[in-house]
Amino acid sequence: MPGTGTKGTGASSSRAADPSVSWPVPDGDDVIFVTEVATDVERKIIDAWISEHRPGGTRHDQVHVEHFRRPRGDADLAVYKDRVAALLDRAGDPWLAPLRVAWLPPGHSSGDGTATPGGSDSQSVRLRDVVTIGDPRRPRRSAQRVLARRPERYVVVNGGAAKESWLRRRWRHQTGSGNEGPSFPHFLLLQGILSMERAEAARLGAQYKVPRMVREDLASGVRFQSGLSDLAHDLGRPVEEVSAEAHRYLEEMVTGYGRVLIDLMARFGRFVYSQGYDADLDYDDAQVARVRQALRDHPAVVLPTHKSMLDAMVMPAAFRELGFPRSHTVGGVNLAFWPMGPLMRRAGVIFIRRKIADNPVYRYTLREYIGYLVEKRFNLEWYIEGGRTRTGKLLPPRLGLLAYVAEAYWQGRAEDVVLLPIAIAYDQLHEVGDYTNEARGGIKRVENLAWLYKYIRAQRDSFGRISVRFGEPVSMRKFLGPPPPITGGAGRPDQLALQKMAFEVAVRINRVTPITASALVAFTLLGAGGRALTRSQVATALEDPLAFVERRQLPLAESARRLSSWGGLGAALDELRRHHVLTVYEEGSEPVFIIQPDNHLEAAFYRNSILHFFLQSAIGELAVVRAAAADDEPLAVFWYEAARLRDLLKFDFFFPGKVEFNEELAAEMSRHDPSWETQVGAGGHVARGLLGSFVPLCSPTALRSFLEAYMVVADVIAERSADAADGPADEEAVLRRCLALGRQYVLQREVQAPEAVSKLLFTTGLQLAANRGLLEGRPGVGDDRRAFGAELRTVLRAVDVIGAMAEASFTKRVGAVTPPAVFDAYAADLTAAKPGAPAQL
């Protein structure tokens, strides 16, 4: 029976107009009110409400009231259940109805409950409220005596009534024979508490739905106990020992969500990010409306991008401002330092350990906790990338927690689960300096109280605006199919379908990621070949990327929309200069702007955030160059080269399946020229002419740094005594060698993109090498390593060709015409001209 809210006893005129005021059971039926009270004031309010609202057909002796102090855990429940057992030892089949008093904060706006910018609405708590009366939703006894005379400051919450016989049937259904799991009084108390929480949340708003008695409810369930018994058997350990260990983990990970901290943490987050950013977050209204509907229908997993520690400040503020239900946020235990750790736990953060592969009891406990939250329709939130991206582009999705949610769905614990992709974009980000330090081999800073203080102080600058974009929600039911009939509560969904679903989330995040002015200017200046440009030359160079963005109707942040104006461009250049991303030389006839080699990594962070929009076009350019130099079957060579590039870049970019990839590439080629297949098929100068329709030519800017980083990795692993069975090398030692050799190559101009010398890119290069079996010692692997390096150099020669064309296009501002000698030199260097992709493609 759904819960209702009832206004205070002193507001008779309001009550008459409020349809939620009603006696919760039929007139004339026996009813037992089981109340949850914290003070005598609350007890008097409830007694007065019962006395005033008892129908004329219900005798006084048909109404029984049992007041319980608000329980704080299993110890209180153990005491209370004996009182409940005595209460139920009565004849008949009475109704059972839970009641509590819900206190309301003072209004801070129009009082209509609608959200206002900054999250300040009629239900919101401010710090001064807490200082004055304590938690306004749990005021001190002295404050309650005053507030009891103001009926607009409290409601009597009815958790819904049910017959004792019906509740007993439900109890037996959940506990099998009734001999396992919690006793009926224990079950009854828990259900009453949970129903009152739901009723209070319905009255206060979806953002105030919080869990209570989670450890008690979860740990007492037959499912959890049975699973522990099976796990103990598998591990060969006593059940009591495994159960005690699991309960310790529950104490560690289960959050203690409090409504006051929902408000205060959202306000704190807004305070922190507004030190350096516009206080008003940038949303897309149509996306917000779509998400609101999705969150109303099903439990959700909120999956934002993770570029900054500020993400943890932005998300609570955004959800509070939009009136969305708050999520249980999963975070690394490294952030649980005092005093933020205890506060964040009370604000709904679940701190989990990073390395749990060798701890089956911890994995089981975490999986069951996640499944419990899904079943109870509480939303979850974590960063799908696992950690912050240090390169600016979206990292591959991590499947661990998502697999736990999928397993809960697959076991029938939810009809569907919605995955909510979210892109958070910053015009500027002060952490970029830390990321580039790590990319150069520096050590990551340890998070502690001193770190937090410095972090907040670092926000006291001007960084522009923060954009929050919501991708189209992903239905777990659509991707995984309906769950099978459950037998024993077991089963897991198909792993490949799970991977495709996670990939789809990443694709939808990329699709809505707004392009900022910093990203587009960095993209343009990094493609200038190390040349300094005047402001008018920067404006000219931006024309083609802006036209590309406009033709494809790509999402733009406000800062990027202003780039076509002289003032907007000037503001973007000034911001990049002030944050030491670009340098301005002002001693000549007019200022010129350049990204110095030492700042390429900073600029690349911004550029990389938008590379996915240019990826298909960049691959198409390089495949055309290869096809134009082919002796025969140029169209087959085009598709071979596209497949090879897809395989080379698969650890840094998201690619769909082969068929869909080919379809998307063909569509991109058609956007450049509808007759592209005919021209590529003709080969030679006809195919070369097709490149004139690619505006802008982007493969050197988009792909060179990644390919050059892989080339350095190939040369480093080729130095090893590869033919001996020497096993894999120490990764850190290999990365240090890559950094050293990469710096040498930059000095020798063998590496043209300084941002290629990055520990982060070398790491994905090693993943690629491992995927090709090049890191283990085996006969012949030395030749394979050298062939890997030769393959990369061949691709980079094609990048050089496009780079020469882009240079000619920019300097002459005419059709892209490249001297035939450039193609001839490239063709002479080709070593693998025969079509037909390698096995791994």
Side-chain angles (χ1 to χ4, degrees):
M1 186 173 185
T4 59
T6 306
K7 292 203 180 214
T9 58
S12 57
S13 61
S14 297
R15 289 197 311 274
D18 190 343
S20 68
V21 176
S22 61
W23 192 248
V25 304
D27 191 356
D29 280 13
D30 293 345
V31 58
I32 301 175
F33 288 108
V34 181
T35 77
E36 182 185 82
V37 296
T39 66
D40 292 338
V41 176
E42 292 181 354
R43 177 173 180 162
K44 290 177 181 177
I45 289 174
I46 289 176
D47 287 342
W49 181 89
I50 292 172
S51 176
E52 181 176 350
H53 289 81
R54 179 170 58 87
T58 301
R59 301 188 312 274
H60 186 273
D61 62 351
Q62 290 182 289
V63 180
H64 188 87
V65 184
E66 192 72 18
H67 294 294
F68 292 89
R69 295 288 179 178
R70 185 169 290 120
R72 297 184 178 275
D74 268 333
D76 288 344
L77 291 179
V79 173
Y80 293 165
K81 67 182 183 181
D82 292 336
R83 287 174 57 193
V84 174
L87 184 67
L88 296 173
D89 190 19
R90 304 159 61 92
D93 184 17
W95 291 87
L96 296 166
L99 295 178
R100 76 153 61 132
V101 176
W103 299 91
L104 306 176
H108 295 306
S109 65
S110 61
D112 61 0
T114 56
T116 57
S120 179
D121 62 43
S122 62
Q123 300 293 347
S124 182
V125 172
R126 295 181 177 181
L127 184 59
R128 66 169 174 253
D129 300 329
V130 179
V131 173
T132 303
I133 63 172
D135 180 353
R137 297 190 184 88
R138 296 285 185 266
R140 293 187 287 266
R141 186 192 308 266
S142 58
Q144 287 186 6
R145 293 193 185 101
V146 176
L147 296 175
R149 295 193 292 269
R150 299 175 58 188
E152 74 277 5
R153 293 295 301 276
Y154 64 88
V155 293
V156 175
V157 174
N158 165 23
K163 285 277 192 177
E164 179 185 346
S165 58
W166 182 86
L167 288 168
R168 285 189 181 276
R169 286 196 298 271
R170 183 179 174 190
W171 167 65
R172 291 191 181 95
H173 174 74
Q174 293 188 11
T175 60
S177 64
N179 297 322
E180 302 178 26
S183 65
F184 180 63
H186 186 281
F187 169 83
L188 189 66
L189 284 166
L190 275 177
Q191 293 304 305
I193 292 168
L194 297 176
S195 66
M196 284 188 288
E197 287 292 337
R198 286 192 294 269
E200 187 171 348
R203 181 68 188 226
L204 300 179
Q207 64 268 42
Y208 292 111
K209 179 185 177 184
V210 298
R212 281 194 61 203
M213 311 300 288
V214 171
R215 282 186 291 269
E216 295 75 15
D217 193 25
L218 173 59
S220 64
V222 174
R223 178 191 200 93
F224 188 76
Q225 295 294 338
S226 176
L228 282 177
S229 179
D230 293 342
L231 180 60
H233 179 270
D234 294 341
L235 297 175
R237 295 171 56 188
V239 174
E240 296 78 9
E241 179 182 297
V242 172
S243 179
E245 183 179 347
H247 279 72
R248 289 197 301 273
Y249 293 147
L250 280 177
E251 289 287 335
E252 176 183 314
M253 67 179 65
V254 170
T255 179
Y257 235 136
R259 290 188 174 102
V260 68
L261 277 173
I262 292 177
D263 290 330
L264 294 185
M265 290 304 290
R267 290 182 181 278
F268 175 71
R270 192 167 187 266
F271 163 77
V272 172
Y273 78 69
S274 62
Q275 298 293 299
Y277 294 92
D278 191 319
D280 293 331
L281 300 173
D282 179 27
Y283 306 108
D284 180 291
D285 291 340
Q287 294 174 1
V288 169
R290 181 175 60 195
V291 168
R292 196 182 305 279
Q293 180 62 41
L295 293 177
R296 185 180 299 122
D297 295 341
H298 300 289
V301 178
V302 179
L303 299 169
T305 54
H306 197 19
K307 289 186 172 68
S308 168
M309 286 296 187
L310 282 179
D311 300 332
M313 312 290 179
V314 171
M315 288 303 298
F319 271 48
R320 184 70 191 83
E321 184 170 292
L322 297 171
F324 290 171
R326 195 66 189 99
S327 309
H328 288 71
T329 305
V330 182
V333 74
N334 60 302
L335 297 177
F337 56 84
W338 185 91
M340 294 306 296
L343 287 174
M344 292 170 72
R345 278 194 172 94
R346 291 291 298 158
V349 177
I350 304 169
F351 290 111
I352 64 172
R353 304 178 185 184
R354 295 286 190 183
K355 299 179 180 179
I356 61 174
D358 58 349
N359 191 335
V361 180
Y362 189 93
R363 293 200 312 273
Y364 170 79
T365 306
L366 178 59
R367 183 173 64 246
E368 286 302 307
Y369 180 35
I370 295 295
Y372 173 90
L373 293 174
V374 170
E375 183 176 347
K376 300 301 181 183
R377 294 179 62 89
F378 286 104
N379 295 337
L380 288 156
E381 178 183 324
W382 65 81
Y383 303 112
I384 193 170
E385 303 163 88
R388 284 177 292 168
T389 173
R390 268 74 170 173
T391 63
K393 63 180 182 56
L394 192 66
L395 298 175
R398 300 289 184 89
L399 298 183
L401 290 172
L402 193 59
Y404 288 167
V405 175
E407 187 173 334
Y409 160 74
W410 200 246
Q411 293 169 355
R413 301 174 77 172
E415 181 182 347
D416 195 4
V417 178
V418 171
L419 309 183
L420 182 56
I422 300 179
I424 307 174
Y426 301 85
D427 282 341
Q428 299 283 333
L429 194 62
H430 94 272
E431 288 160 279
V432 172
D434 292 338
Y435 298 158
T436 57
N437 179 60
E438 292 179 39
R440 294 184 175 106
I443 304 300
K444 177 180 177 291
R445 297 184 186 183
V446 177
E447 291 89 358
N448 52 33
L449 186 58
W451 166 86
L452 178 64
Y453 174 75
K454 293 177 182 177
Y455 185 88
I456 294 176
R457 281 185 61 87
Q459 303 304 318
R460 296 178 181 176
D461 203 338
S462 176
F463 294 101
R465 198 172 185 188
I466 303 172
S467 301
V468 180
R469 295 290 186 269
F470 299 92
E472 183 180 352
V474 175
S475 163
M476 191 167 279
R477 189 177 188 89
K478 178 179 178 181
F479 271 83
L480 303 183
I486 301 300
T487 54
R492 294 181 180 177
D494 178 68
Q495 185 70 13
L496 181 58
L498 181 64
Q499 291 173 352
K500 288 182 176 179
M501 182 175 67
F503 169 82
E504 183 63 24
V505 171
V507 168
R508 296 188 188 190
I509 287 175
N510 275 339
R511 194 174 292 155
V512 298
T513 298
I515 299 172
T516 65
S518 297
L520 211 52
V521 171
F523 180 91
T524 301
L525 289 179
L526 284 174
R531 176 181 12 199
L533 305 177
T534 66
R535 182 178 297 191
S536 60
Q537 287 175 325
V538 174
T540 300
L542 275 168
E543 289 174 357
D544 288 346
L546 284 171
F548 181 94
V549 168
E550 184 178 353
R551 286 195 303 272
R552 285 157 177 76
Q553 297 183 324
L554 301 180
L556 290 175
E558 181 184 1
S559 59
R561 287 194 293 269
R562 297 197 304 263
L563 277 177
S564 56
S565 70
W566 193 250
L569 174 59
L573 292 172
D574 289 343
E575 286 298 299
L576 288 170
R577 175 190 187 180
R578 199 163 55 80
H579 291 288
H580 311 293
V581 177
L582 58 79
T583 303
V584 182
Y585 180 76
E586 299 179 289
E587 302 302 320
S589 59
E590 61 179 310
V592 290
F593 302 84
I594 187 171
I595 297 175
Q596 300 284 9
D598 288 346
N599 300 121
H600 270 231
L601 280 170
E602 286 88 344
F605 179 90
Y606 296 108
R607 176 203 64 189
N608 291 350
S609 67
I610 63 172
L611 287 186
H612 54 279
F613 292 122
F614 298 89
L615 183 59
Q616 290 285 5
S617 188
I619 289 175
E621 291 170 13
L622 298 180
V624 169
V625 171
R626 180 67 184 270
D631 293 332
D632 55 9
E633 299 186 68
L635 190 58
V637 172
F638 171 90
W639 289 112
Y640 159 78
E641 187 67 6
R644 177 165 70 161
L645 290 166
R646 175 179 178 271
D647 184 70
L648 279 173
L649 298 165
K650 64 187 177 184
F651 288 100
D652 264 308
F653 296 95
F654 301 108
F655 292 106
K658 298 172 186 177
V659 173
E660 187 178 352
F661 169 80
N662 288 346
E663 291 174 349
E664 290 182 0
L665 179 56
E668 178 64 25
M669 296 294 293
S670 295
R671 280 192 284 268
H672 288 295
D673 192 321
S675 63
W676 72 272
E677 284 187 282
T678 301
Q679 295 183 66
V680 170
H685 70 278
V686 178
R688 299 171 196 170
L690 176 62
L691 292 169
S693 65
F694 281 71
V695 180
L697 289 163
C698 59
S699 56
T701 305
L703 301 180
R704 182 187 291 279
S705 58
F706 299 93
L707 296 168
E708 288 184 338
Y710 303 164
M711 179 189 71
V712 173
V713 170
D715 288 357
V716 167
I717 64 174
E719 294 174 345
R720 298 179 57 208
S721 55
D723 289 328
D726 54 359
D730 174 64
E731 182 174 319
E732 283 300 317
V734 172
L735 291 173
R736 286 193 298 271
R737 176 60 182 155
C738 287
L739 286 168
L741 186 61
R743 291 171 187 136
Q744 173 190 324
Y745 281 178
V746 169
L747 294 173
Q748 294 177 300
R749 297 290 292 165
E750 189 164 350
V751 165
Q752 296 183 37
E755 68 270 23
V757 185
S758 165
K759 185 178 179 180
L760 309 171
L761 298 190
F762 294 148
T763 299
T764 51
L766 284 173
Q767 288 180 290
L768 175 61
N771 180 254
R772 295 192 171 192
L774 300 177
L775 298 187
E776 296 113 11
R778 56 176 172 80
V781 76
D783 292 337
D784 292 343
R785 290 172 180 172
R786 287 185 287 274
F788 180 44
E791 177 186 359
L792 287 161
R793 283 179 165 83
T794 298
V795 176
L796 283 166
R797 288 289 291 118
V799 174
D800 290 339
V801 170
I802 299 296
M805 296 180 66
E807 174 77 7
S809 176
F810 176 75
T811 55
K812 300 177 183 178
R813 302 305 294 164
V814 294
V817 178
T818 301
V822 177
F823 280 97
D824 294 343
Y826 167 75
D829 287 344
L830 291 180
T831 57
K834 297 296 182 183
Q840 69 266 24
L841 302 185

